[in-house]
Structure formats: structure tokens, C-alpha cells
Amino acid sequence: MGRFIGFILFLCGLLLLVHPTVSLPLCSDSTAPSTLNSTLEFCPYKGSVCCNSTQDGDIQRQFQGMNISDPACSSLVKSIVCARCDPFSGDLYIVNSTPRSVPLLCNSTSENSPQSNQAATDFCSTVWDTCQNITIVNSPFAPSLQGRAGVPTNSSTSKLSDLWLSKTDFCNAFGGSSTEESVCFVGEPVSLNNTKLPSPPDGLCLEKIGNGSYLNMVAHPDGSNRAFFSNQAGKVWLATIPEMGSGGMLELDESKPFVDLTDVVNLDTQFGMMGLAFHPNFAQNGRFFASFNCDKVKWPGCSGRCSCNSDVNCDPSKLPSDSGSQPCQHQSVVAEYTVNGSASQPSLATTAKPTEVRRIITIGLPFTSRHAGQILFGEDGYLYFMMGDGGGQGGDPYNFSQNKKSLLGKIMRLDINNIPSSEDINKLDLWGNYSIPKDNPFVEDQSALPEIWAYGLRNPWRCSFDSERPSYFMCGDVGQDRFEEVNIISKGGNYGWSVYEGPLLFVPNSSPKESTPIDSINPIFPVMGYNHSTINKNTGSASITGGYFYRSNTDPCLYGRYLYADLYASAIWAGTETPKNSGNFTTNDIPFSCAPDSPIPCSSTPGSPLPALGYVFSFGEDNDKDIYVLTSSGVYRFVPPSRCKYTCSLENVTTTVGSLSPTPSPPSHASRSTNSWSSLVLLLLLLFTCS
Ligand SMILES: *[C@@H]1O[C@H](CO)[C@@H](O)[C@H](O)[C@H]1NC(C)=O
Ligand SMILES: *[C@@H]1O[C@H](CO)[C@@H](O)[C@H](O)[C@H]1NC(C)=O
Ligand SMILES: *[C@@H]1O[C@H](CO)[C@@H](O)[C@H](O)[C@H]1NC(C)=O
Ligand SMILES: *[C@@H]1O[C@H](CO)[C@@H](O)[C@H](O)[C@H]1NC(C)=O
Ligand SMILES: *[C@@H]1O[C@H](CO)[C@@H](O)[C@H](O)[C@H]1NC(C)=O
Ligand SMILES: *[C@@H]1O[C@H](CO)[C@@H](O)[C@H](O)[C@H]1NC(C)=O
Ligand SMILES: *[C@@H]1O[C@H](CO)[C@@H](O)[C@H](O)[C@H]1NC(C)=O
Ligand SMILES: *[C@@H]1O[C@H](CO)[C@@H](O)[C@H](O)[C@H]1NC(C)=O
Ligand SMILES: *[C@@H]1O[C@H](CO)[C@@H](O)[C@H](O)[C@H]1NC(C)=O
Ligand SMILES: *[C@@H]1O[C@H](CO)[C@@H](O)[C@H](O)[C@H]1NC(C)=O
Ligand SMILES: *[C@@H]1O[C@H](CO)[C@@H](O)[C@H](O)[C@H]1NC(C)=O
Ligand SMILES: *[C@@H]1O[C@H](CO)[C@@H](O)[C@H](O)[C@H]1NC(C)=O
């Protein structure tokens, strides 16, 4: 009994977590399902599952304790308690952010149900009809467990008809139908309709609207047609974005940055300003954040704990001398700034002082490469901070990525709204001024740092949240020798590095190292990616640049697909998910070209060594959900495909498009672009070099 109560508490613990509408295979504790070779002993699940053998055994004991005599009812109830193991259990057990004791039981058929096994099933009625007169010990259908008023009972043994007045009452409490975004339970594992894969877009049409070379673009949080752009050196500009189809260019005055942090940012081959984020309530509180690298030797403000330390078996005095004149000479910093004082209200601010309000975090770097550095606010209001494995020869030589005592090779999740006192920061042994969200995955784990949200990453270069489905937290992760990957980041997920490189076992080509035992980890494999061998046969270089789920109507043939690119190859891929919400992607390398009427011509120089577009550093998304490509040659925006004479049957092509030139040139695979790449680009050339 004690064990059973423990189990219930364990479930309740999981269920306390608030969860957005889920639409991806996720467990009720927000973690990704794991992969199981064989069927569980008790519950009929295998493959992608949300239970391990321990939990399967707990469910079996819970079920046996119910002592259900009737075989028909018994089998239905078994299927219901086993739904915990369903890969969609997060969706089944948390409906409208409210946790449930029983999965959502399908009570009707819905015309546009995404589920293949839901047709004509009123499973809720079936449960009532079959079980209403059957005694169940510790019934999971008790009203109190569902947070509902039913028939009051003080007995632990009850029939449904003791607990609920009627089928209608019962099904009001437990029933529901699946919708576009959610699933319901019919007594067997959730299965999605295998819809036909839509054909890939004919091509992507781009226009060039700016000449500058930027690493970050962040839409203004006030929802206006403005966005912030930052470069590697540490300058941020506030630009007005031209209306789609207006023929205008980015309005940005290079000589008038919004803020200039170049005095503190250390600019070098692989160092600089890597990330920029605005507080979701920036329009009220004026808070914004920059992520950059600094150099202790050049700036006294550059001080913090060294990520090479005794906790992680790293002796700073043994680091190679080319990593700096002193251990952890270079640091990754996230610092907070404000526009208070520069305008009457934050949205009107066009400049900010480069005065640091608060240091959020400082992490001393062991080597000079692979420290990612993007920062992003999630819908949950927390700040996500992407960190690479810290570099070094032979692929993560100190095993930082798999070591949960290290912040390297991790995605961190920090609460920057509740800043503890310095006393508490010391007591909690934090690396800076933030608090730990209660539901971070490793808060209870003494062998892990509580900042960690996900681990096993190499160099997460450009992550984004799907604006329609926040559980789709996408990251490109740059590979080493063979594979570039796109991951869906989930709570506590291990993305495999450096045991795996993408789906492949990683075998370092330098001195063979005894790596983390393969069987000891349960990695989450990428959902998209490409082999190095498929691109850039000339140079062999490859480095992924993660992008966005396209959610604009500008190119309706792109809607709902995930876009990503390669830094060197100027190839752009679109990932299409079928069935929708399954996490199963098919990818296509999509041809692209520049609109003949592009506001800035995408000029080309025959024989230029630069790939088309230059180097693709990053993507951006504006407040209209239009998508931008930030490259060494400038800023490009996706425009209606017809402007490049690509056919998209979903596009409404009007014959009189003012800005369309009378004789558009036929689309080429890509317009070669040349001129205005800055010298910084040369530095950046090596930024992501893979081996
Ligand atoms: C899982 O499956 C793989 C191949 O599919 C096999 O090599 C491995 O032995 C299996 N593991 C277990 C624990 O059954
Ligand atoms: C099963 O999962 C639970 C909860 O995540 C964990 O505490 C337990 O150690 C796991 N058991 C096994 C055998 O992996
Ligand atoms: C289980 O049910 C049977 C009758 O169906 C009863 O005899 C037995 O005592 C019950 N066991 C428990 C533990 O309630
Ligand atoms: C899903 O499949 C069911 C039956 O297999 C069908 O009735 C339903 O229309 C399908 N839904 C969609 C969105 O295709
Ligand atoms: C359950 O009991 C109700 C009322 O006593 C009766 O109408 C119904 O037929 C019974 N159902 C089953 C499945 O025995
Ligand atoms: C439930 O509680 C009521 C009043 O508190 C009592 O009269 C009744 O006997 C109890 N029933 C059981 C099954 O314990
Ligand atoms: C199914 O359950 C939902 C939620 O309680 C309710 O709103 C809906 O009316 C039910 N549909 C049917 C057909 O019972
Ligand atoms: C994944 O998508 C492909 C292409 O549409 C399809 O053939 C395959 O069945 C899907 N796999 C799953 C598990 O749904
Ligand atoms: C961008 O560069 C092109 C070609 O050098 C030049 O014609 C154009 O005026 C520049 N545009 C801006 C906005 O700087
Ligand atoms: C800026 O102003 C807002 C609104 O008055 C206030 O909430 C915030 O604390 C201020 N921030 C700083 C850093 O002064
Ligand atoms: C990396 O991990 C492996 C296995 O866990 C270990 O043998 C090796 O010594 C580690 N390397 C370092 C530098 O700690
Ligand atoms: C195209 O036109 C149809 C009918 O006028 C409209 O419903 C649809 O929203 C339009 N699509 C786009 C992408 O503008």
C-alpha cells in the first residue's frame, strides 16, 4: 500500500507541471519518450514509450491492486492505466494545462481527427457501459482525483455508478475528442493518420533587403515592424523592416547603433557577440540581454568560474597554451541591459547605454571554440542559453557534454525574473544571478547541475521555438566529421554527443579514447540532418545553421515546414512532418533564387569563391512570422514564390504585382552573391569548421 501511495505521489509529482497544449510525442513529465526494443512486460507498448520497466511494474501492481473481477472491464481498465506508457501520454494526461488521473477518453468521433484509430469510437461510453457495476479498489475514476464534484464516497472500493450519477456525468469528466492539436484514448496506443506527404515546394524565392552581416535578428517585442540586428563585433541596431512587396530595404543606420558593446566583447575568429534576447515584457520593463565572449586579459569585468575544474576532472593548469595565456582566459557571458532612462517608454527607445545592469552568468571556457551562445526566451518566460562542448581536439576531450556536472555541451534554462540574494546564490552554488525553475529536470539530482535543461550537444547553432507549437524547440547541432543534425529539444533530453554524432557512433580519429559506454546512455536522435558527404564535395566543410518553422502566409507552400541551411554550402532544406505532430520528418534540399525585382540586387561574380548567398550564419523571424536569412553578404527575406516564377498552387497570384519586373529572369539554383562580405566573415570562416 505504501508503495502504491508512493506511486500515486510520483504520478502527482509529474502532473503538477504546467504544460502547453502538446502536439508532439511527449511524456506527461514533458520528457521525450525513449526507445525500447522489446515490449514491456505488463503494458502492451514497445518502440517509442514513456515507461521503463520499473514504471511498468508499478502500473502492474497498481492494476492488480484494483482487484477487478470482470474480465471485460478489467481489460479496459488495464488499457487505461497503461496509457501512461503511450508516447503521447503528455497529451493524454494533460488537457488544457490541467493534469488528469485518467487519459482523455475519446467520447465521439471528430471529422478532422488526426488519429487513425479513433474512427467511430465512443470509448468513454464503452468504459461506462462495461464497468459501471464493477467494483474497483482504489478507483482512478474517483471524482476527487479528477478535481470534480461527483457522488461523495469515503470508500476506497467503488463502482463507477457509486462515483458518478450517470454516463453523461462520467463522460463529462473523463471524455473528450481529439482535435488538430491533441489526441484522445481509445483503448490502444495512439496512432496518427498517415497522411500523404505533400510535395516539396518548387523553389524558395528570396529578396535582398540589407547589405550588413549579422549573427542575430530579434523581432521587436512590441509587435511592431521593427527588429534588432547584431553583429559579431558587438553592435546592435534597431531597424524598420520594409513591408512585404513594397520594394523597400531595411531602414538601418550603421552609424547609429541601438547599443554598442564592442568595448567589452572579445572579437576573434570564434569569439564575439553570439546572442541577443529581449524580455517578453520588454515594452514594460525595458530589459534586454546580450550573450558574448570576453577576454580576462583585456577586460576586468571578464571574470567568472572556470568550466575546467575538479568537479569535472579537468585540471586548468593542464590546458594547452593555445587556449589562452591563463586558464579560462575567455569566458561566455550573458549580461543584462536596460533602455530605462533613454526614452519615456521602452518601445520608444532607439538607443540604450552599454552599462551592464546585471551579470546573469559567466562561464570560463577551456578552449577557444564551440561555445554556441544563443539566448532565447521560451513561452514559459525562462531564458534558454545554448552552450557548446567548449572545443578541443578529438571531439570533447573532457567528456563535458555527457557530464551533467558541466555546463558545456548543454542547453540551460534560467529564471531571470526571480534573482536570489547574493547569499542565496552562494548557498545554492549558482554560476550567476538567476534562479532555477522548479521544474528543471535535474533539480533533485545531486550528480547534475540544476541549470541544465538538455545535454549531449556539441555546438547548438541556432535554435527556435515553433511559434504555433512551443513544444517544438528546434536546434541545429553542428557535427564533427560526418553528420549535421536537427534536434527537437525536450526536457532532460540527452542528444548523444560525444558518444554519437547524430545517429552515428562517434569514433574519434585522433588517439582513441575510451568513451562513455554506449549502453549507459539513452540518446534522443536527430529528427533531421545531412551527411557531410552529401554536400560540399570540394571543401568537405559542413556546418548546420538551424532555422525556423515557417509560419507566414507569404509562401503558402512553405507553411508548417522547418527550414535550415548549411553555413558553407548555401543549401536550404525544408523538413516536412508527416503525420503532423508525429515528430517524423522528411527533408528536401529546395532550390532557391533571388527575385529579379529584389530591392538590392543579388549580384554575382562568375568564379567567385563564395557560395551562393555567402555564408549562412543565421535565420530570423519578424512579427509577421516572415523568415529572413542572415548571411555574410546581407539580409534576405523569403517572398512569394511567384516573384521568382516558382509555382505554388496555394499562392494567390495576382497579375498586377507592381514591383514585378516585366521580364524576370528564369530561376537559377541560386543567385551567386559576392561583394559586401566584411572582413569579419574571414574570421567567421573558421568559426564552425568541423574538424
Ligand atoms: C535491441 O535491438 C538491437 C538491434 O535492433 C539489438 O542489437 C540489441 O541487442 C537489442 N537490445 C536488447 C536489449 O534487446
Ligand atoms: C525508470 O524511471 C524512473 C523515473 O524516471 C527512474 O527513477 C528509474 O530509475 C527508472 N528505472 C530504470 C530501471 O531505468
Ligand atoms: C478481490 O476480490 C475478491 C472477490 O472478487 C475478494 O474475495 C477479495 O477479497 C478481493 N481482494 C482484495 C484485496 O480486495
Ligand atoms: C483519420 O483516419 C480516420 C479513420 O482512419 C478518418 O475517419 C479521418 O477522417 C482521418 N482524419 C484525417 C484528418 O485524415
Ligand atoms: C448495471 O446496473 C444497472 C442498474 O442496476 C443495470 O441497468 C445495468 O444493466 C447493469 N449493467 C451491467 C453491464 O450489468
Ligand atoms: C462513510 O462515512 C459515513 C459518515 O461519515 C458513514 O456513515 C459510513 O458508514 C461510511 N461508509 C463507509 C463504507 O466507510
Ligand atoms: C465529449 O466530452 C466533452 C468534454 O466533456 C463534451 O464537451 C462533449 O460534449 C462530449 N461529447 C459527446 C458526444 O458526448
Ligand atoms: C514518416 O514519414 C514517411 C514519409 O511520409 C512515411 O513513409 C513513414 O511512414 C512515416 N513514419 C511514421 C512512423 O509515421
Ligand atoms: C548595398 O550594396 C549595393 C551594392 O554595393 C548598393 O548598391 C546599395 O546601395 C547598398 N544598399 C544599402 C542599403 O546599403
Ligand atoms: C526599468 O523600468 C521599469 C518600469 O518602470 C522597472 O520595472 C524596471 O525595474 C527598471 N529597470 C531598471 C534596470 O532600472
Ligand atoms: C572521458 O570519459 C571516459 C569514459 O567515461 C573516460 O575513460 C575518459 O578518461 C574521460 N576523459 C576525461 C578527460 O576525463
Ligand atoms: C487566397 O485566396 C483565397 C480566396 O480569396 C483566400 O481564402 C486565401 O486566404 C488566400 N490565400 C492567401 C495565402 O492569401
Side-chain angles (χ1 to χ4, degrees), residues 4-17 28-29 55 58-59 62 81 84 93 99-101:
F4 172 66
I5 289 180
F7 179 63
I8 291 287
L9 289 177
F10 151 75
L11 294 180
C12 293
L14 297 182
L15 292 175
L16 282 176
L17 312 169
S28 45
D29 61 356
Q55 290 155 323
D58 287 342
I59 290 170
Q62 180 200 11
V81 291
R84 249 331 139 185
Y93 281 89
R100 309 162 57 90
S101 61

mmCIF file of all heavy atoms in Angstrom, residues 4-17 28-29 55 58-59 62 81 84 93 99-101:
data_model
loop_
_atom_site.group_PDB
_atom_site.id
_atom_site.type_symbol
_atom_site.label_atom_id
_atom_site.label_comp_id
_atom_site.label_asym_id
_atom_site.label_seq_id
_atom_site.Cartn_x
_atom_site.Cartn_y
_atom_site.Cartn_z
ATOM 1 N N PHE A 4 2.103 1.817 -3.222
ATOM 2 C CA PHE A 4 1.091 2.338 -4.130
ATOM 3 C C PHE A 4 0.933 3.856 -3.952
ATOM 4 O O PHE A 4 0.892 4.622 -4.909
ATOM 5 C CB PHE A 4 -0.244 1.628 -3.892
ATOM 6 C CG PHE A 4 -1.374 2.244 -4.667
ATOM 7 C CD1 PHE A 4 -1.387 2.178 -6.056
ATOM 8 C CD2 PHE A 4 -2.393 2.924 -4.017
ATOM 9 C CE1 PHE A 4 -2.409 2.765 -6.769
ATOM 10 C CE2 PHE A 4 -3.407 3.506 -4.748
ATOM 11 C CZ PHE A 4 -3.422 3.422 -6.107
ATOM 12 N N ILE A 5 0.898 4.249 -2.671
ATOM 13 C CA ILE A 5 0.758 5.684 -2.398
ATOM 14 C C ILE A 5 1.967 6.424 -2.971
ATOM 15 O O ILE A 5 1.840 7.466 -3.609
ATOM 16 C CB ILE A 5 0.599 5.922 -0.885
ATOM 17 C CG1 ILE A 5 -0.800 5.405 -0.496
ATOM 18 C CG2 ILE A 5 0.762 7.401 -0.532
ATOM 19 C CD1 ILE A 5 -1.176 5.541 0.925
ATOM 20 N N GLY A 6 3.114 5.802 -2.797
ATOM 21 C CA GLY A 6 4.328 6.389 -3.362
ATOM 22 C C GLY A 6 4.192 6.571 -4.860
ATOM 23 O O GLY A 6 4.550 7.605 -5.425
ATOM 24 N N PHE A 7 3.614 5.583 -5.472
ATOM 25 C CA PHE A 7 3.443 5.640 -6.923
ATOM 26 C C PHE A 7 2.508 6.786 -7.323
ATOM 27 O O PHE A 7 2.776 7.551 -8.238
ATOM 28 C CB PHE A 7 2.901 4.295 -7.413
ATOM 29 C CG PHE A 7 2.666 4.251 -8.893
ATOM 30 C CD1 PHE A 7 3.739 4.390 -9.773
ATOM 31 C CD2 PHE A 7 1.405 4.083 -9.413
ATOM 32 C CE1 PHE A 7 3.532 4.346 -11.141
ATOM 33 C CE2 PHE A 7 1.200 4.044 -10.779
ATOM 34 C CZ PHE A 7 2.257 4.178 -11.637
ATOM 35 N N ILE A 8 1.400 6.883 -6.539
ATOM 36 C CA ILE A 8 0.462 7.980 -6.808
ATOM 37 C C ILE A 8 1.164 9.322 -6.621
ATOM 38 O O ILE A 8 1.040 10.226 -7.448
ATOM 39 C CB ILE A 8 -0.761 7.882 -5.853
ATOM 40 C CG1 ILE A 8 -1.603 6.653 -6.221
ATOM 41 C CG2 ILE A 8 -1.588 9.149 -5.884
ATOM 42 C CD1 ILE A 8 -2.396 6.796 -7.487
ATOM 43 N N LEU A 9 1.950 9.414 -5.554
ATOM 44 C CA LEU A 9 2.667 10.669 -5.328
ATOM 45 C C LEU A 9 3.626 10.943 -6.475
ATOM 46 O O LEU A 9 3.759 12.070 -6.930
ATOM 47 C CB LEU A 9 3.444 10.608 -4.001
ATOM 48 C CG LEU A 9 2.573 10.653 -2.751
ATOM 49 C CD1 LEU A 9 3.428 10.520 -1.499
ATOM 50 C CD2 LEU A 9 1.764 11.949 -2.691
ATOM 51 N N PHE A 10 4.241 9.863 -6.954
ATOM 52 C CA PHE A 10 5.166 10.009 -8.071
ATOM 53 C C PHE A 10 4.421 10.556 -9.290
ATOM 54 O O PHE A 10 4.845 11.498 -9.944
ATOM 55 C CB PHE A 10 5.824 8.648 -8.351
ATOM 56 C CG PHE A 10 6.233 8.398 -9.768
ATOM 57 C CD1 PHE A 10 7.366 9.018 -10.293
ATOM 58 C CD2 PHE A 10 5.513 7.531 -10.571
ATOM 59 C CE1 PHE A 10 7.751 8.776 -11.605
ATOM 60 C CE2 PHE A 10 5.889 7.294 -11.877
ATOM 61 C CZ PHE A 10 6.999 7.919 -12.404
ATOM 62 N N LEU A 11 3.226 9.995 -9.532
ATOM 63 C CA LEU A 11 2.441 10.482 -10.671
ATOM 64 C C LEU A 11 2.030 11.926 -10.454
ATOM 65 O O LEU A 11 2.127 12.759 -11.344
ATOM 66 C CB LEU A 11 1.187 9.625 -10.866
ATOM 67 C CG LEU A 11 1.421 8.171 -11.282
ATOM 68 C CD1 LEU A 11 0.087 7.464 -11.444
ATOM 69 C CD2 LEU A 11 2.211 8.107 -12.581
ATOM 70 N N CYS A 12 1.579 12.210 -9.217
ATOM 71 C CA CYS A 12 1.133 13.578 -8.950
ATOM 72 C C CYS A 12 2.283 14.547 -9.132
ATOM 73 O O CYS A 12 2.114 15.630 -9.657
ATOM 74 C CB CYS A 12 0.569 13.692 -7.540
ATOM 75 S SG CYS A 12 -0.951 12.758 -7.389
ATOM 76 N N GLY A 13 3.458 14.125 -8.685
ATOM 77 C CA GLY A 13 4.640 14.967 -8.847
ATOM 78 C C GLY A 13 4.826 15.341 -10.297
ATOM 79 O O GLY A 13 5.062 16.488 -10.643
ATOM 80 N N LEU A 14 4.649 14.327 -11.145
ATOM 81 C CA LEU A 14 4.812 14.593 -12.566
ATOM 82 C C LEU A 14 3.734 15.535 -13.056
ATOM 83 O O LEU A 14 3.955 16.383 -13.903
ATOM 84 C CB LEU A 14 4.699 13.286 -13.360
ATOM 85 C CG LEU A 14 5.746 12.216 -13.080
ATOM 86 C CD1 LEU A 14 5.503 11.033 -13.991
ATOM 87 C CD2 LEU A 14 7.137 12.784 -13.315
ATOM 88 N N LEU A 15 2.536 15.330 -12.481
ATOM 89 C CA LEU A 15 1.395 16.035 -13.046
ATOM 90 C C LEU A 15 1.307 17.485 -12.629
ATOM 91 O O LEU A 15 0.552 18.246 -13.204
ATOM 92 C CB LEU A 15 0.113 15.305 -12.618
ATOM 93 C CG LEU A 15 -0.031 13.922 -13.263
ATOM 94 C CD1 LEU A 15 -1.236 13.187 -12.712
ATOM 95 C CD2 LEU A 15 -0.135 14.046 -14.766
ATOM 96 N N LEU A 16 2.060 17.859 -11.613
ATOM 97 C CA LEU A 16 1.979 19.238 -11.168
ATOM 98 C C LEU A 16 2.516 20.219 -12.201
ATOM 99 O O LEU A 16 2.269 21.398 -12.125
ATOM 100 C CB LEU A 16 2.786 19.405 -9.869
ATOM 101 C CG LEU A 16 2.046 18.889 -8.634
ATOM 102 C CD1 LEU A 16 2.932 18.992 -7.408
ATOM 103 C CD2 LEU A 16 0.767 19.696 -8.430
ATOM 104 N N LEU A 17 3.250 19.667 -13.162
ATOM 105 C CA LEU A 17 3.896 20.561 -14.112
ATOM 106 C C LEU A 17 2.894 21.125 -15.090
ATOM 107 O O LEU A 17 2.064 20.415 -15.629
ATOM 108 C CB LEU A 17 4.952 19.777 -14.883
ATOM 109 C CG LEU A 17 5.838 18.955 -13.957
ATOM 110 C CD1 LEU A 17 6.675 17.996 -14.757
ATOM 111 C CD2 LEU A 17 6.696 19.897 -13.148
ATOM 112 N N SER A 28 4.157 12.564 -19.845
ATOM 113 C CA SER A 28 3.427 13.500 -19.001
ATOM 114 C C SER A 28 4.353 14.327 -18.118
ATOM 115 O O SER A 28 3.926 15.311 -17.541
ATOM 116 C CB SER A 28 2.378 12.774 -18.166
ATOM 117 O OG SER A 28 2.913 11.617 -17.600
ATOM 118 N N ASP A 29 5.636 13.962 -18.027
ATOM 119 C CA ASP A 29 6.575 14.826 -17.311
ATOM 120 C C ASP A 29 7.355 15.709 -18.292
ATOM 121 O O ASP A 29 8.416 16.239 -17.953
ATOM 122 C CB ASP A 29 7.541 13.998 -16.460
ATOM 123 C CG ASP A 29 8.383 13.054 -17.295
ATOM 124 O OD1 ASP A 29 8.152 12.984 -18.530
ATOM 125 O OD2 ASP A 29 9.260 12.374 -16.741
ATOM 126 N N GLN A 55 8.548 1.474 -14.050
ATOM 127 C CA GLN A 55 7.215 2.083 -14.076
ATOM 128 C C GLN A 55 6.173 1.086 -14.564
ATOM 129 O O GLN A 55 5.040 1.064 -14.069
ATOM 130 C CB GLN A 55 7.237 3.331 -14.964
ATOM 131 C CG GLN A 55 8.040 4.455 -14.319
ATOM 132 C CD GLN A 55 8.599 5.426 -15.348
ATOM 133 O OE1 GLN A 55 9.003 5.021 -16.444
ATOM 134 N NE2 GLN A 55 8.637 6.696 -15.006
ATOM 135 N N ASP A 58 5.284 -0.856 -11.634
ATOM 136 C CA ASP A 58 4.433 -0.069 -10.736
ATOM 137 C C ASP A 58 2.991 -0.063 -11.235
ATOM 138 O O ASP A 58 2.049 -0.177 -10.452
ATOM 139 C CB ASP A 58 4.939 1.375 -10.638
ATOM 140 C CG ASP A 58 6.231 1.478 -9.823
ATOM 141 O OD1 ASP A 58 6.532 0.531 -9.074
ATOM 142 O OD2 ASP A 58 6.926 2.503 -9.954
ATOM 143 N N ILE A 59 2.845 0.087 -12.538
ATOM 144 C CA ILE A 59 1.498 0.116 -13.117
ATOM 145 C C ILE A 59 0.833 -1.254 -12.923
ATOM 146 O O ILE A 59 -0.346 -1.342 -12.568
ATOM 147 C CB ILE A 59 1.551 0.513 -14.610
ATOM 148 C CG1 ILE A 59 1.931 1.991 -14.723
ATOM 149 C CG2 ILE A 59 0.230 0.235 -15.302
ATOM 150 C CD1 ILE A 59 2.253 2.446 -16.122
ATOM 151 N N GLN A 62 -0.326 -1.445 -9.396
ATOM 152 C CA GLN A 62 -1.492 -0.580 -9.206
ATOM 153 C C GLN A 62 -2.733 -1.281 -9.756
ATOM 154 O O GLN A 62 -3.777 -1.338 -9.111
ATOM 155 C CB GLN A 62 -1.289 0.764 -9.942
ATOM 156 C CG GLN A 62 -2.464 1.719 -9.799
ATOM 157 C CD GLN A 62 -2.502 2.807 -10.895
ATOM 158 O OE1 GLN A 62 -1.770 2.739 -11.881
ATOM 159 N NE2 GLN A 62 -3.357 3.782 -10.707
ATOM 160 N N VAL A 81 -4.833 2.328 -17.561
ATOM 161 C CA VAL A 81 -3.683 2.638 -16.698
ATOM 162 C C VAL A 81 -2.373 2.533 -17.475
ATOM 163 O O VAL A 81 -1.397 3.216 -17.168
ATOM 164 C CB VAL A 81 -3.638 1.769 -15.404
ATOM 165 C CG1 VAL A 81 -4.774 2.137 -14.478
ATOM 166 C CG2 VAL A 81 -3.638 0.280 -15.710
ATOM 167 N N ARG A 84 -0.279 5.563 -19.570
ATOM 168 C CA ARG A 84 0.894 6.257 -19.045
ATOM 169 C C ARG A 84 2.135 6.008 -19.908
ATOM 170 O O ARG A 84 3.050 6.819 -19.960
ATOM 171 C CB ARG A 84 1.217 5.661 -17.695
ATOM 172 C CG ARG A 84 1.045 6.374 -16.414
ATOM 173 C CD ARG A 84 1.154 7.801 -16.348
ATOM 174 N NE ARG A 84 0.097 8.259 -15.457
ATOM 175 C CZ ARG A 84 -0.181 9.515 -15.227
ATOM 176 N NH1 ARG A 84 0.502 10.467 -15.824
ATOM 177 N NH2 ARG A 84 -1.152 9.844 -14.433
ATOM 178 N N TYR A 93 -2.738 12.989 -20.780
ATOM 179 C CA TYR A 93 -2.927 13.210 -19.342
ATOM 180 C C TYR A 93 -2.934 14.673 -18.943
ATOM 181 O O TYR A 93 -3.160 14.989 -17.788
ATOM 182 C CB TYR A 93 -1.841 12.481 -18.543
ATOM 183 C CG TYR A 93 -2.104 10.994 -18.393
ATOM 184 C CD1 TYR A 93 -1.634 10.093 -19.338
ATOM 185 C CD2 TYR A 93 -2.854 10.511 -17.324
ATOM 186 C CE1 TYR A 93 -1.883 8.731 -19.210
ATOM 187 C CE2 TYR A 93 -3.108 9.154 -17.184
ATOM 188 C CZ TYR A 93 -2.616 8.270 -18.139
ATOM 189 O OH TYR A 93 -2.870 6.934 -17.997
ATOM 190 N N PRO A 99 -3.593 18.632 -15.334
ATOM 191 C CA PRO A 99 -3.267 17.206 -15.268
ATOM 192 C C PRO A 99 -4.481 16.368 -14.871
ATOM 193 O O PRO A 99 -5.372 16.839 -14.164
ATOM 194 C CB PRO A 99 -2.185 17.150 -14.184
ATOM 195 C CG PRO A 99 -2.245 18.420 -13.463
ATOM 196 C CD PRO A 99 -2.967 19.422 -14.281
ATOM 197 N N ARG A 100 -4.514 15.152 -15.362
ATOM 198 C CA ARG A 100 -5.652 14.257 -15.124
ATOM 199 C C ARG A 100 -5.158 12.938 -14.536
ATOM 200 O O ARG A 100 -4.020 12.551 -14.726
ATOM 201 C CB ARG A 100 -6.361 13.967 -16.446
ATOM 202 C CG ARG A 100 -6.711 15.204 -17.253
ATOM 203 C CD ARG A 100 -6.984 14.849 -18.710
ATOM 204 N NE ARG A 100 -8.050 13.872 -18.823
ATOM 205 C CZ ARG A 100 -9.331 14.183 -18.943
ATOM 206 N NH1 ARG A 100 -9.696 15.438 -19.018
ATOM 207 N NH2 ARG A 100 -10.244 13.243 -19.009
ATOM 208 N N SER A 101 -6.082 12.233 -13.855
ATOM 209 C CA SER A 101 -5.727 10.932 -13.302
ATOM 210 C C SER A 101 -5.934 9.838 -14.343
ATOM 211 O O SER A 101 -5.409 8.748 -14.221
ATOM 212 C CB SER A 101 -6.582 10.638 -12.072
ATOM 213 O OG SER A 101 -7.946 10.609 -12.451
#
